[in-house]
Amino acid sequence: KCPCYAKQMLQHLTKSLSWLLLGKRISSRAENNKPCCRAATLNILLAGMNPLYFHAVNVILHCLVTLVLMYTCDKAVFKDCRLAFVTALFFAVHPIHTEAVTGIVGRADVLACLLFLLAFLSYNRSVDQLYVGEHFPPTASPFFLLLSLFLGTCAMLVKETGVTVFGVCLVYDFFSLSYNGLKLRNGAIPQRPSRPPVPAPWGSSLSGRENGKQQQQQQHRCAQRGAWSSCHPPGPRQQPSLPVPSRAIWAIRSYLTANNNQNFLYTARPFLKRAALVISYVILVLYFRLWIMGGSMPMFSEQDNPASFSPYLLTRFLTYSYLVAFNAWLLLAPITLCYDWQVGSIPLVESIWDVRNLATLFLLLVMTLLSLHCIAAFKKLEHKEVLVGLLFLVFPFIPASNLFFRVGFVVAERVLYMPSMGYCILFVHGLKKLSTWLNKWRITVPTLFALLLLLFSWKTVKQNEIWLSRESLFSSGVKTLPHNAKVHYNYANFLKDQGRNVEAIYHYKTALKLYPRHASALNNLGTLTKDVVEAKDYYRRALQLNPQHNRALFNLGNLLKSQGKKEEAVILLRDSIKYGPEFADAYSSLASLLAEQERLKEAEEVYKAGIENCPESSDLHNNYGVFLVDTGSPERAMSHYRQAILLSPAHHVAMVNLGRLHRSLGQNKEAEGYKHHNITLGQLVRCNAVALLQAQVLAMMGRTKEAEKMTNHILNEDAECLECYRLLSAIYSKQELYAKALEAIEKALQLKPKDPKVISELFFTKGNQLREQNLLDKAFESYKRAVELNPDQAQAWMNMGGIEHIKGSYITARDYYEKALQLVPNSKLLKENLAKLDRLEKRFQEVQEKDQT
């Protein structure tokens, strides 16, 4: 038992640490190991769920990253505060950061970047910066070395890319500190200060006192050269000018022979000790991470990353290579930005003759030249600028490159947050070189850079406007990438939530045109269609594409349940739970179906399993309470009603149920006290409204029996609930009980509502029920009454035209169709009906002409 208990404790500890510190949750289920939209728990504890404070914290973290980057550039890269400031300024306003800083879930990337930099600085501080000799510098501070390991681990827990800081530190240690060996080879051996060494700030490099005057003179000369020229101490005598490749080869050869036949292992022993410690620790940490994840990697679908599912190695290789070039372009020219670059945004590169391969080759050429430039500058301090720029650019991007494992995206702008540090360093280094080459025209470089900053700032502001609301974000995706199926699907989901079903259906169908294998789009289309046969077809097609689509299984199960095919429904609902064990509605639906079949023991087991897997579902606790009351266990039901209220204090249905239960048990005092404590008489109407809303949701989900029962329950308390009768009419109509549906509407009309539009809607619904019973004349009269009360009732005009059309009164039908078309000029159905009339009238005229002849 002990090892299992220890594992549980470690898992809970790690999850708690990552959730408090990180803003994401590590799950033992591989399929759920994605960043969670619950930002840091500490944020919630301090400021609640106000979005303003979440955004404020993200902006503060971005500012901290910018400041720490400036410090890093000043102490470990440029050794020039002005160039460090320019780099930080460029980083601060880069538009590519919008998603990471503005989106709450992007906090993982920003916080990981901060910890990445702190870990790098700590490692740099741990190495003796004053050492000059034939050996690699020793470890000056074990504390800072251990601190860097801790900060790197935190960065990894926040975001998996954080682990790359260890690789950056080791490569920087090896190549940056090897400069001392080259300097020694050329005879420039500065003396160690006679006083005891004083620890320098993170990343700084101190020179001896005897060089102070020289440094002041050098700084004075640098100040005259402008902000774009770096201030370096005078270096050793340079070799004759050579082409870049020749200088690179010469530098590597000099480095390899720098130790004059000494044993490299002996010379590099301090570095090798640090490397052995870091590598061993990283292996241990990665193993621990995989252990916490259950030993498996996250699972992704084809629409998340189409290239990784291609059966052709060449296609995968060419596409992955092009995506690297595409990401580089986004850093260089962030013109087209989008919150989602999945399905169809970037077509696969399937041939070597694809013109996009030129971008890949060009990037390869640039990276090769940068690497050669770094090696050629190895004898100068400025090689650190290119070295750190390349390390910061390349290493954090490796986990997102698909090289080692499949990732769940094609392009994600937020993952470029860390690599953009390297890009900014290289960009400023290039500007410095350009400023030196231009000489007399040097002033143009700061001017152009200032214009670029203004342009980037403007683009960042515009991108933030896009992220202001869900609608602006999703609609921008449709405008920016109209060939992306995912953005159409997301926008359709938004429209569906807003009740704009016609527009939602259009965008779902557009998503399917662009990506016919989109199972979720088919499933959601099924929920919007009113035709039961069509809905069933959509659900089945979704399941053909993805047999484990738990929502499609759930919806099809409920549809079959409403049609009386209960055994098939049970199988589908069980599968829905199997493939989506955290989907609470599936447990409620299956349990209620089993209860209807008098399989009470099975129903109770389902409820218990649901509560175990979905302990935070207040609806599940409430529904289980109702089941327990019906099966004669009111005391147990009471505890579940209370748990539902505890989980959701605004769960008025559970409050009403608990109050009724107290009264039914004769506990009038408790019921009265509970009512005054939780529900005033003025709130009872609102409670019924919530219960009605729940009934409407149940009806939409196909759980018509439950919806009917709940609606009748409300009517028992409030016999004048107009919306209840309308809902009952819709439920009976769905069950094809049109006589009952008509009766419910008649009762609603007997309440004599005052609003003419409401009365018009009721007459329209009455006409629909009469039409379903083939009582066309009565239906026509109801539609006529509806348009008298509300002339803008386009559907009523169209239905009147349809009835006249059936009767053969084509002229009258045309009048009604045209009135409806004036109200909805884009209606395809009306245009088709008018076209049919045109054809009929044409045939009628042809027949008349023949009769006359």
Side-chain angles (χ1 to χ4, degrees):
K1 292 183 179 177
C2 290
C4 293
Y5 179 73
K7 181 177 179 179
Q8 265 189 338
M9 291 299 291
L10 280 170
Q11 286 177 337
H12 284 303
L13 178 63
T14 307
K15 288 177 185 177
S16 301
L17 173 64
S18 66
W19 207 24
L20 279 169
L21 182 67
L22 335 163
K24 65 184 285 188
R25 180 174 58 185
I26 296 176
S27 171
S28 57
R29 299 181 185 275
E31 65 271 21
N32 294 326
N33 192 40
K34 293 183 178 179
C36 183
C37 289
R38 303 178 189 174
T41 305
L42 193 60
N43 211 146
I44 299 171
L45 293 175
L46 294 177
M49 293 297 290
N50 190 332
L52 173 65
Y53 297 103
F54 285 89
H55 290 299
V57 171
N58 275 22
V59 172
I60 290 169
L61 286 173
H62 180 56
C63 293
L64 287 175
V65 171
T66 304
L67 292 173
V68 177
L69 176 62
M70 183 171 68
Y71 181 86
T72 304
C73 290
D74 182 29
K75 300 302 180 184
V77 184
F78 296 109
K79 302 296 180 67
D80 186 319
C81 60
R82 290 166 297 178
L83 293 178
F85 174 75
V86 169
T87 304
L89 187 62
F90 189 47
F91 176 84
V93 301
H94 202 298
I96 203 69
H97 300 153
T98 305
E99 181 180 355
V101 179
T102 306
I104 299 301
V105 75
R107 180 174 302 180
D109 297 88
V110 183
L111 185 55
C113 187
L114 178 62
L115 293 165
F116 179 100
L117 287 172
L118 293 176
F120 175 77
L121 290 171
S122 296
Y123 187 91
N124 202 27
R125 177 80 181 267
S126 71
V127 180
D128 188 353
Q129 301 289 331
L130 298 176
Y131 176 82
V132 176
E134 294 186 357
H135 297 79
F136 276 65
T139 301
S141 173
F143 168 75
F144 280 104
L145 181 58
L146 294 175
L147 180 61
S148 71
L149 295 179
F150 172 75
L151 291 170
T153 304
C154 291
M156 183 201 69
L157 288 173
V158 174
K159 185 82 173 179
E160 291 79 359
T161 51
V163 76
T164 58
V165 70
F166 296 118
V168 171
C169 289
L170 290 180
V171 176
Y172 178 78
D173 187 352
F174 184 81
F175 284 102
S176 176
L177 296 174
S178 67
Y179 171 76
N180 290 333
L182 284 175
K183 188 163 58 177
L184 177 64
R185 174 73 171 170
N186 286 276
I189 309 176
Q191 300 297 317
R192 179 185 288 275
S194 57
R195 59 182 174 84
V198 179
W202 283 357
S204 66
S205 178
L206 299 178
S207 58
R209 290 179 180 174
E210 64 276 9
N211 294 327
K213 187 176 180 181
Q214 235 180 0
Q215 284 185 344
Q216 288 179 357
Q217 292 173 352
Q218 176 72 4
Q219 287 173 359
H220 178 69
R221 287 195 298 271
C222 290
Q224 293 176 346
R225 288 160 61 188
W228 298 108
S229 300
S230 179
C231 296
H232 298 309
R237 182 172 56 86
Q238 299 298 311
Q239 296 294 322
S241 178
L242 296 170
V244 170
S246 300
R247 293 205 309 268
I249 295 169
W250 174 85
I252 295 172
R253 187 180 62 186
S254 298
Y255 171 70
L256 292 175
T257 60
N259 291 317
N260 296 328
N261 300 324
Q262 290 185 14
N263 189 336
F264 175 76
L265 293 177
Y266 175 75
T267 304
R269 186 166 57 182
F271 165 76
L272 293 177
K273 285 181 179 179
R274 290 191 293 272
L277 173 65
V278 172
I279 293 171
S280 301
Y281 180 76
V282 169
I283 292 172
L284 181 65
V285 166
L286 290 176
Y287 175 78
F288 178 71
R289 170 83 185 191
L290 285 172
W291 178 64
I292 290 297
M293 291 168 61
S296 59
M297 299 299 291
M299 302 294 291
F300 301 110
S301 65
E302 183 182 355
Q303 61 185 6
D304 295 326
N305 189 351
S308 65
F309 285 85
S310 173
Y312 304 107
L313 179 62
L314 180 64
T315 299
R316 294 200 300 272
F317 173 76
L318 293 177
T319 304
Y320 292 158
S321 302
Y322 172 71
L323 288 178
V324 176
F326 187 86
N327 279 278
W329 175 252
L330 286 180
L331 287 173
L332 184 65
I335 300 169
T336 302
L337 299 177
C338 186
Y339 72 93
D340 197 303
W341 288 88
Q342 291 184 5
V343 197
S345 300
I346 303 175
L348 300 182
V349 183
E350 299 177 321
S351 168
I352 58 173
W353 306 114
D354 193 312
V355 70
R356 290 175 293 172
N357 290 320
L358 294 175
T360 305
L361 292 174
F362 182 73
L363 177 66
L364 180 62
L365 176 63
V366 170
M367 296 303 290
T368 303
L369 291 175
L370 279 173
S371 302
L372 291 173
H373 174 57
C374 179
I375 297 170
F378 209 73
K379 292 193 62 183
K380 304 176 186 179
L381 273 175
E382 72 175 22
H383 84 281
K384 287 188 177 181
E385 301 172 12
V386 185
L387 175 64
V388 176
L390 285 173
L391 291 178
F392 280 19
L393 175 67
V394 174
F395 271 71
F397 185 73
I398 289 174
S401 64
N402 287 283
L403 288 177
F404 300 107
F405 46 81
R406 179 183 293 165
V407 297
F409 51 83
V410 178
V411 171
E413 292 166 16
R414 63 183 180 276
V415 304
L416 294 176
Y417 188 85
M418 279 197 277
S420 67
M421 295 189 297
Y423 164 71
C424 292
I425 291 170
L426 292 173
F427 186 84
V428 173
H429 171 74
L431 287 180
K432 184 187 75 172
K433 287 289 184 184
L434 184 62
S435 178
T436 304
W437 293 337
L438 288 175
N439 198 10
K440 291 182 180 180
W441 301 96
R442 188 180 301 155
I443 189 65
T444 58
V445 176
T447 305
L448 291 174
F449 181 70
L451 291 174
L452 181 63
L453 284 178
L454 289 174
L455 185 62
F456 271 29
S457 300
W458 174 82
K459 180 66 174 178
T460 301
V461 170
K462 288 297 179 183
Q463 281 299 113
N464 275 272
E465 289 176 359
I466 287 172
W467 283 77
L468 279 174
S469 68
R470 190 177 170 213
E471 182 173 14
S472 62
L473 181 66
F474 290 161
S475 61
S476 74
V478 172
K479 294 172 186 174
T480 306
L481 298 175
H483 51 289
N484 181 339
K486 184 73 175 289
V487 297
H488 282 281
Y489 171 75
N490 288 340
Y491 190 42
N493 286 341
F494 166 77
L495 294 169
K496 178 186 173 189
D497 293 342
Q498 296 295 310
R500 295 156 63 180
N501 293 344
V502 175
E503 296 172 78
I505 289 171
Y506 169 77
H507 284 283
Y508 280 134
K509 289 183 176 179
T510 304
L512 286 167
K513 286 179 184 176
L514 295 168
Y515 184 68
R517 296 179 56 80
H518 205 309
S520 295
L522 287 166
N523 172 67
N524 290 359
L525 265 177
T527 64
L528 291 178
T529 184
K530 295 179 180 178
D531 189 333
V532 175
V533 176
E534 191 178 359
K536 189 187 295 185
D537 178 59
Y538 281 131
Y539 296 144
R540 293 198 186 281
R541 285 169 59 191
L543 291 172
Q544 285 174 0
L545 294 172
N546 182 7
Q548 298 181 7
H549 198 295
N550 67 306
R551 298 278 175 165
L553 288 165
F554 171 76
N555 289 328
L556 183 56
N558 281 328
L559 182 61
L560 295 176
K561 174 183 171 183
S562 67
Q563 294 179 334
K565 301 176 181 179
K566 297 184 177 180
E567 291 305 322
E568 292 180 61
V570 167
I571 294 170
L572 290 167
L573 291 172
R574 287 194 188 278
D575 284 343
S576 176
I577 292 170
K578 178 183 176 182
Y579 298 121
E582 296 180 358
F583 185 25
D585 288 344
Y587 291 99
S588 292
S589 187
L590 177 59
S592 67
L593 178 56
L594 293 170
E596 286 178 19
Q597 294 178 307
E598 302 296 328
R599 297 157 66 176
L600 302 180
K601 188 176 179 181
E602 291 180 64
E604 185 163 12
E605 288 174 358
V606 170
Y607 273 124
K608 287 179 178 178
I611 289 170
E612 183 180 350
N613 288 304
C614 314
E616 298 178 2
S617 172
S618 56
D619 287 338
L620 198 52
H621 279 282
N622 176 69
N623 294 342
Y624 187 34
V626 173
F627 172 81
L628 290 171
V629 169
D630 292 342
T631 54
S633 301
E635 292 80 9
R636 290 170 59 200
M638 202 172 291
S639 67
H640 286 283
Y641 286 145
R642 286 174 177 158
Q643 183 64 23
I645 295 166
L646 184 65
L647 290 168
S648 177
H651 202 303
H652 299 304
V653 176
M655 293 179 186
V656 171
N657 288 340
L658 185 57
R660 288 174 184 156
L661 183 57
H662 277 301
R663 284 195 295 272
S664 67
L665 295 173
Q667 300 170 352
N668 295 324
K669 186 183 248 184
E670 289 86 347
E672 196 66 25
Y674 186 85
K675 184 178 81 172
H676 288 300
H677 183 67
N678 292 287
I679 307 174
T680 64
L681 289 173
Q683 288 176 310
L684 188 58
V685 174
R686 288 198 296 274
C687 292
N688 284 336
V690 174
L692 179 60
L693 180 62
Q694 189 175 8
Q696 289 171 338
V697 172
L698 289 170
M700 288 175 64
M701 290 165 55
R703 293 158 63 178
T704 52
K705 290 291 184 183
E706 295 171 69
E708 180 187 354
K709 183 179 179 182
M710 185 173 286
T711 308
N712 282 321
H713 199 71
I714 298 169
L715 284 170
N716 289 336
E717 289 191 348
D718 183 9
E720 296 186 357
C721 178
L722 179 69
E723 289 300 319
C724 293
Y725 289 115
R726 294 179 70 174
L727 179 58
L728 270 181
S729 177
I731 291 169
Y732 290 138
S733 180
K734 201 167 186 178
Q735 295 172 343
E736 299 183 1
L737 302 173
Y738 301 117
K740 282 191 172 184
L742 181 61
E743 184 183 348
I745 285 297
E746 292 286 5
K747 289 181 179 179
L749 285 167
Q750 289 172 11
L751 295 175
K752 296 180 180 179
K754 295 180 181 179
D755 189 345
K757 289 187 177 181
V758 173
I759 303 171
S760 173
E761 286 288 340
L762 291 173
F763 273 109
F764 173 72
T765 306
K766 180 181 177 181
N768 288 342
Q769 304 306 333
L770 290 166
R771 189 189 62 186
E772 291 292 348
Q773 297 178 62
N774 207 29
L775 301 172
L776 298 183
D777 291 335
K778 292 184 178 180
F780 183 89
E781 291 301 321
S782 291
Y783 290 138
K784 187 177 179 180
R785 185 78 176 104
V787 295
E788 286 173 357
L789 292 164
N790 181 16
D792 293 335
Q793 180 68 270
Q795 190 67 40
W797 286 112
M798 186 171 71
N799 290 358
M800 289 168 68
I803 292 172
E804 292 297 312
H805 192 154
I806 291 170
K807 289 181 176 180
S809 304
Y810 301 136
I811 297 174
T812 312
R814 180 181 292 277
D815 290 339
Y816 290 138
Y817 283 151
E818 287 176 348
K819 286 180 181 177
L821 193 62
Q822 290 174 2
L823 297 170
V824 280
N826 295 323
S827 174
K828 291 182 180 179
L829 183 59
L830 281 169
K831 291 176 181 178
E832 288 173 2
N833 288 345
L834 284 168
K836 289 177 183 177
L837 280 180
D838 290 337
R839 289 194 296 271
L840 287 170
E841 288 178 349
K842 188 176 179 181
R843 289 177 188 173
F844 183 71
Q845 288 176 358
E846 289 175 353
V847 170
Q848 282 185 331
E849 289 173 0
K850 286 180 181 179
D851 289 343
Q852 289 175 359
T853 57

